[in-house]
Amino acid sequence: MTTSPLPFLVVQTALYARLKADATLMGLATGVYDFVPETAVYPYIHLGEAIETPDNAHDRYGRQTVVTLHVWDQYRGFKRVLEIGARINALLDHQPLTLTGLAHVATRYEFGQPLTDPEPPGDIRHLVLRYRIVTEQTP
């Protein structure tokens, strides 16, 4: 039995596909990015940092991948980033993901935190969302 060589990439690919495919979400945000281009228009979603830890059992390899998503906007107030966050949560929390080469066990929402970017001009709103995605090696 061998482990998947890049569970991070498999999980990120599945998240990107799920978010981009949702017309309602794409009606709220202008895009979903791994790398945010300078030409990106607010509001947008950034696939951010991830932490992966083993979650093995006696007869199989498993992983827990904790991913951070960022929603960025220049709207005056948190309303739009919170609406986008609510839609992301509806798409991901306790919902199955299609993962190439891995079996999806669970996706769980861990936390969300709205922030105001303190850098001048101070008009950027930022919502941090974190999810724990549990996977197992396919037989």
Side-chain angles (χ1 to χ4, degrees), residues 43-54:
Y44 61 82
I45 301 158
H46 176 221
L47 300 173
E49 306 76 17
I51 299 169
E52 186 178 278
T53 56

Side-chain angles (χ1 to χ4, degrees), residues 2-69:
T2 61
T3 61
S4 173
L6 294 172
F8 281 123
L9 182 58
V10 172
V11 168
Q12 183 185 43
T13 300
L15 289 173
Y16 180 82
R18 170 68 53 86
L19 299 178
K20 279 295 281 187
D22 187 70
T24 301
L25 182 61
M26 291 299 92
L28 297 170
T30 61
V32 178
Y33 300 102
D34 175 21
F35 172 79
V36 181
E38 289 185 30
T39 57
V41 176
Y42 294 102
Y44 61 82
I45 301 158
H46 176 221
L47 300 173
E49 306 76 17
I51 299 169
E52 186 178 278
T53 56
D55 190 22
N56 300 325
H58 294 290
D59 61 343
R60 68 188 178 284
Y61 291 103
R63 296 286 184 270
Q64 291 197 23
T65 306
V66 177
V67 296
T68 304
L69 304 178

Side-chain angles (χ1 to χ4, degrees), residues 93-133:
D93 189 30
H94 288 85
Q95 299 300 315
L97 286 173
T98 302
L99 302 168
T100 303
L102 295 172
H104 179 265
V105 175
T107 298
R108 296 184 191 99
Y109 172 73
E110 287 200 343
F111 79 84
Q113 181 180 11
L115 302 164
T116 300
D117 190 336
E119 294 296 317
D123 64 345
I124 297 177
R125 298 296 185 258
H126 178 196
L127 177 63
V128 179
L129 298 168
R130 192 163 77 187
Y131 294 88
R132 181 174 303 270
I133 300 164

